[in-house]
Every structure is written in structure tokens, then in C-alpha cells.
Amino acid sequence: MKASVFSLAGAVATLLASFVAAQEGASVPTTSTAATSSYSCDPNTCKAPTCMCASQSPPGGLSPKDVPQMVVVTFDDSIQDSLYQTAKKMLSTTNPNGCPAHGTWYVSMEYTDFSLVQQWYASGNEIADHTYSHVGSPSAKEISSCKSMLNTYGGIPKGKIQGFRAPFLNYTKETLSNIAEQSFLYDSSASGVTDDAYWPYTLDNGMANDCWTGICASGQVKLPGVWEVPMYAVLDNKSIPQLMDVYLAGEPQDVTQWSLDAFNKKYEGNRQPFGIYVHPTHLTTYPGLPDPKPMLDGVLSFLQTIAAKPDVWFVTNQQLLQWMKNPVKASEFGQQDYMKCQQPVIAKEICNGLDDDHNNQIDDNLLNNCNFGTSNFKTCFNCPNGAPSLADPTPASAAQSGSAGYRYPVPDNCDSTWWDPIGNACLCTTTDCQYKEVVVTKPTASNSSVNPLGAKETSTQTISAASPSSLISSNSIILVALAALSVYLL
Ligand SMILES: *[C@@H]1O[C@H](CO)[C@@H](O)[C@H](O)[C@H]1NC(C)=O
Ligand SMILES: *[C@@H]1O[C@H](CO)[C@@H](O)[C@H](O)[C@H]1NC(C)=O
Ligand SMILES: *[C@@H]1O[C@H](CO)[C@@H](O)[C@H](O)[C@H]1NC(C)=O
Ligand SMILES: [Zn+2]
């Protein structure tokens, strides 16, 4: 248990993980109707901003034509340079208010470069928790260790790490209780297909998605104020729902067509968010392996096509939830504080994930390289004095406090884009950039959970329930495994 993930065993685990992920994320059962649901919610008592019933209609009584069509592009697993470049290409469009498109990255720890975690966040994107060692049905420690590392080495304020996605989308009611206890705002592991393509909702009245697993049965989940942001499937030309990595399911031109159809159905319907859920390894070119560029080009042209339509916004899941809590018309969306994109103006280059001195280099010569033999990561903060492990994700700093080069951790009253970890100073001097970490204590419904062993609602069943025709070929699986290996060797 003390074994570090930064080891060769870890590399093998990653190969296996990629193998399973490739199968598991590919599709969801066609039978995810609300039939097995006992979900009920009274909108007269469950009211925004703290409570929201699952519904296919837009919140706030808005007419669909006034609703911004939100698109969430999410990325899963480690952040590494080549993957980061792929993700940035996918977010190279602009929102109607002139701000860059933003997305959410669900980060697992192995192979993650923490300087890129910080840069992703500093440029306005969202960082979220995807566990320490990428395991299904994760323990509370798997979830909290990931959060600690994102905070310590990526500098993400704890209060800004609000989202969680279960590896392999394999969650149980205990997973959801754990994230509630650890003050996460939302989970995004459940799938929404057709009848259950709900807008995000709070779990005050339980789950309304993945009901075929039994998770919606009364008494299973009741977590006031915790949101579920369903992942929305695209139906392929055989009406099989494709969830993650839809581009693996067919030829680029076919995938583009299915995706456009699915998008238009929402855009011309109730305008629920549209999602593109990516493992960036699949879309990244590695030397000596088949080039996924045609797939990537297909995705990019699809993104550009929908970005060109009126009222289409590329948002993080946090931005989506800000809107859910206080829905405004599309015409007012761009003026909301959380949709603006001012960046800190700081006179010198500090280690804040930004190119403060505008020389096209981020944090020039300020990054630390933490090297543990089998793997290493960069960070603007201190290297630990030993390899992180699940039990001890943030060992003591290698540098002594006060010594030359020591990095001061982000305090709870400064956002990391304004924090100079070397100068030990918050450079924000005006009210608009002030930040104060708020410790939210959520009511824990988990105490009342009866018979934890009775919960058999695992997404593992997804594999066997999935139609064989929706599983990707074994060739692609090998390709994925090789890709992971080459990343390791690099
Ligand atoms: C999913 O969770 C179940 C039970 O919690 C576990 O037995 C199974 O191995 C998990 N599957 C994966 C792929 O993690
Ligand atoms: C459906 O898509 C698959 C995968 O791209 C393709 O091979 C097949 O020809 C398509 N079928 C029809 C009827 O369009
Ligand atoms: C629920 O459990 C937590 C931790 O085990 C405990 O601190 C809290 O008092 C319990 N709440 C109730 C209402 O029993
Ligand atoms: Zn994953």
C-alpha cells in the first residue's frame, strides 16, 4: 500500500487502465430509461440556488430559445505536455463575449506535470479530481490524496477543486457520499442518454441517472446541495449511445454527422448542455504509432462548426453550475462575472502559471523539477523530499522554509494567479481579485446509509451490458496501450 505510483508497476497499471478505459468509456446501455427510477422531486420545495430537481426543461422557467447552448469539453487522466497541446487545440475557439473557450480536466496523479495543472487553471480552465491512482469505486483516501496534490503541487485553491469524476465512470453511493463529505460541489460520472438527458440537478432527492444500476432506488443516495452533472451521450447511426471518445466509434465523417445530429437535437430542443468527453491520449500523435490526426481534425472541424452558431458557449462544468444556480438569458451570459476573462496584470514574471512578462514563456526559469528516478514532474512549488504515495501524497518539502528557492504554499486568502510563491506575497490589491477560501460543511447523509454492502450499482456492468458492436476493435486497444507505454518511455 505504501508503494508509490511513480514506479514501473505503475506503468503496467496504466496499460491495463487504458485497456479497460477504452472499452468501458465507449458506450452506455441503450436501456437507461427512467423505468427503474423511483426519483421524485417537488420543484416547489426544491429551489435554486441550493436545490434543483432533475428536469429536461431549462431552469428558471426560461424558454429554450433564450437559453445559452452550453458545450462542455472535458479531458480525463494525467496532464502531460503533448496531451496539454491536444487539449488546447480543442479549445482554440472563442465564446460570443470574446473570451476563450474553456474546459474541465479530471486529473489523475500518475505522470501528471503539476506545472501544467497550474497553467491550465491559470488560463481560466477547470481542474477537477479523478483520484490518485485511477481506480474504480475509489476510497475516500484516493479522492482526498488527489485533491491534496492538485493543491500542493498545482497551486489550485482547495475551494476551486469542486468537481469529481470516477475512473471508468465506476462509482457507487459510497463514492458520492465521500465527495459530499470532502466538500466537492459536483460529480460528473453518470450518463444521460435520451429520456434521462437531464439538466444538472442536486442530489437532495437522489440520483435520476444510471437508474438501471439501482442507484436511483429510494434510500440509496440523498446528498443535499451536491450536484450531478450528467455526461450526455451521442447516438451513433445504430442508435447506440456513445459517451466517451465518440471519435473511436466510427469514421471521422460518420462521427461528425452523429455528433452534429445530437448537437442539433439539443440546440433546436431544450438546449441541455452538449458534451465532448475526451481521453487526450487517443488524439495525440506519438512517434512510431498510427497517426490519430484524421480523428483529431474531425473533432476540431466539428467544434468549429458548432462554435460558429449563435448562442453557443464552451464552458467548464463549474461555469455551467454557476449558471444553473442563477440562470440568465443568453444575451446576458457574457456579462456574468464567472464568464469574464480578465487576467492578472503583474509587472514581473512570478510563478503563477501565466506569462506575466509577455515573452511567450510561462514561469520562465522558475519551475522546479522533482525527480524520483522512474518519473518526474515539474511544479512552481517545492518538490517533496520523497516520492508521493497514496498514503502520503504530499511528503515534507525538500527545501527548508526560508532557504533560497523555497516556495511558499498558496494561502487560503489568495488565488494562485496572484500568488508569488517565492516572494511570499499576494499581489492582488483590489477587491475584484480578492479571494477567500470558504470552508463549506455539507450535511452528511452518509450516516444514515443502511447496508453499504447492499449497494451493487457499479458501472462495471456497463462493460457486459454494452452492445458488442459498440466496443472498439482490439487493434485500437493495443494502440492505446502502446501509446501509454510510449508516454512512459518518454
Ligand atoms: C468497479 O467497482 C466494483 C465494485 O465496487 C469493483 O469490483 C470493480 O473491480 C470496479 N471496476 C473497475 C474497472 O474499476
Ligand atoms: C455507420 O457508421 C459506421 C462507422 O463509421 C459505418 O461503417 C457505416 O457504414 C455507417 N452506416 C450507415 C448506414 O451509415
Ligand atoms: C455523521 O458522521 C460524522 C463522521 O463520522 C460525525 O462527525 C457526525 O456527527 C455524524 N452526524 C450525525 C447526524 O450522526
Ligand atoms: Zn480516467
Side-chain angles (χ1 to χ4, degrees):
M1 268 290 105
K2 184 88 182 137
S4 162
V5 286
F6 301 96
S7 66
L8 190 59
V12 174
T14 295
L15 297 187
L16 292 173
S18 304
F19 180 87
V20 181
Q23 295 187 63
E24 194 170 43
S27 70
V28 292
T30 41
T31 54
S32 71
T33 66
T36 49
S37 171
S38 63
Y39 182 82
S40 75
C41 183
D42 180 359
N44 295 313
T45 53
C46 174
K47 289 183 176 162
T50 54
C51 190
M52 180 72 62
C53 293
S55 169
Q56 303 234 27
S57 304
L62 286 177
S63 155
K65 68 173 180 9
D66 293 328
V67 168
Q69 175 65 59
M70 285 178 266
V71 177
V72 293
V73 185
T74 74
F75 306 92
D76 282 16
D77 305 348
S78 65
I79 304 192
Q80 306 171 42
D81 191 44
S82 54
L83 306 176
Y84 192 89
Q85 301 312 325
T86 300
K88 269 179 40 181
K89 279 184 202 149
M90 295 184 64
L91 294 178
S92 58
T93 58
T94 303
N95 279 331
N97 67 348
C99 286
H102 288 315
T104 304
W105 203 311
Y106 294 87
V107 191
S108 52
M109 300 295 92
E110 195 175 19
Y111 310 119
T112 283
D113 176 342
F114 290 91
S115 68
L116 295 176
V117 169
Q118 184 171 11
Q119 289 169 26
W120 181 255
Y121 170 79
S123 53
N125 297 300
E126 179 182 359
I127 288 287
D129 189 315
H130 194 49
T131 76
Y132 177 80
S133 45
H134 203 274
V135 285
S137 319
S139 64
K141 186 71 181 163
E142 277 283 347
I143 300 165
S144 64
S145 290
C146 176
K147 199 185 209 179
S148 308
M149 288 182 80
L150 293 172
N151 172 251
T152 302
Y153 304 120
I156 317 299
K158 283 203 170 115
K160 295 288 187 83
I161 307 170
Q162 301 180 349
F164 174 80
R165 175 170 292 159
F168 318 111
L169 313 181
N170 194 2
Y171 68 96
T172 65
K173 68 171 182 177
E174 285 74 25
T175 317
L176 298 174
S177 299
N178 284 333
I179 66 161
E181 271 162 30
Q182 295 181 33
S183 300
F184 284 88
L185 177 65
Y186 76 91
D187 169 70
S188 184
S189 311
S191 28
V193 183
T194 310
D195 312 358
D196 60 354
Y198 299 121
W199 284 88
Y201 55 96
T202 62
L203 298 178
D204 295 59
N205 296 279
M207 286 285 290
N209 291 89
D210 292 344
C211 292
W212 61 279
T213 66
I215 191 100
C216 306
S218 62
Q220 288 289 302
V221 175
K222 201 164 207 186
L223 299 165
V226 177
W227 291 74
E228 178 59 40
V229 182
M231 298 173 72
Y232 304 97
V234 164
L235 295 185
D236 69 14
N237 60 4
K238 298 195 183 75
S239 291
I240 293 165
Q242 301 290 340
L243 198 56
M244 294 200 76
D245 309 311
V246 55
Y247 40 78
L248 296 178
E251 294 303 316
Q253 67 273 21
D254 295 323
V255 171
T256 301
Q257 193 54 53
W258 313 332
S259 301
L260 269 178
D261 291 347
F263 176 84
N264 285 332
K265 215 168 154 230
K266 287 195 163 140
Y267 190 60
E268 287 151 19
N270 279 338
R271 296 212 167 171
Q272 294 99 316
F274 181 84
I276 299 185
Y277 311 109
V278 180
H279 286 105
T281 29
H282 296 310
L283 297 175
T284 301
T285 301
Y286 297 104
L289 289 169
D291 194 354
K293 193 166 178 299
M295 263 183 337
L296 178 61
D297 287 345
V299 177
L300 294 179
S301 90
F302 167 71
L303 289 169
Q304 278 149 16
T305 305
I306 60 175
K309 295 177 189 258
D311 296 333
V312 173
W313 298 77
F314 288 75
V315 297
T316 65
N317 274 329
Q318 280 187 29
Q319 288 174 316
L320 163 61
L321 291 182
Q322 296 258 29
W323 184 86
M324 290 302 299
K325 290 177 184 175
N326 181 21
V328 295
K329 290 184 175 180
S331 55
E332 296 157 28
F333 195 34
Q335 290 93 268
Q336 304 303 304
D337 277 346
Y338 59 87
M339 289 305 294
K340 294 184 178 160
C341 52
Q342 286 102 344
Q343 292 274 291
V345 178
I346 290 168
K348 57 169 181 173
E349 187 77 4
I350 60 166
C351 219
N352 63 345
L354 294 170
D355 179 16
D356 303 294
D357 62 359
H358 306 288
N359 68 348
N360 290 319
Q361 271 195 70
I362 295 174
D363 300 341
D364 329 4
N365 305 317
L366 295 174
L367 299 180
N368 281 323
N369 225 320
C370 311
N371 202 329
F372 301 104
T374 51
S375 185
N376 58 59
F377 62 85
K378 293 199 207 86
T379 176
C380 259
F381 296 90
N382 298 305
C383 288
N385 63 10
S389 64
L390 174 60
D392 188 7
T394 56
S397 157
Q400 294 296 310
S401 174
S403 66
Y406 182 78
R407 309 297 163 93
Y408 293 85
V410 184
D412 68 1
N413 62 354
C414 190
D415 201 334
S416 55
T417 49
W418 289 96
W419 177 243
D420 177 357
I422 299 173
N424 192 19
C426 191
L427 303 183
C428 160
T429 53
T430 54
T431 50
D432 60 335
C433 58
Q434 271 170 11
Y435 179 73
K436 179 82 189 115
E437 201 96 327
V438 183
V439 179
V440 195
T441 331
K442 292 224 166 68
T444 57
S446 62
N447 302 45
S448 58
S449 67
V450 243
N451 183 18
L453 292 175
K456 272 280 165 228
E457 64 283 20
T458 70
S459 298
T460 316
Q461 294 153 29
T462 310
I463 296 171
S464 50
S467 157
S469 59
S470 67
L471 295 178
I472 62 169
S473 73
S474 50
N475 276 351
S476 328
I477 292 169
I478 290 162
L479 181 131
V480 172
L482 284 173
L485 180 62
S486 86
V487 169
Y488 173 75
L489 292 173
L490 285 171

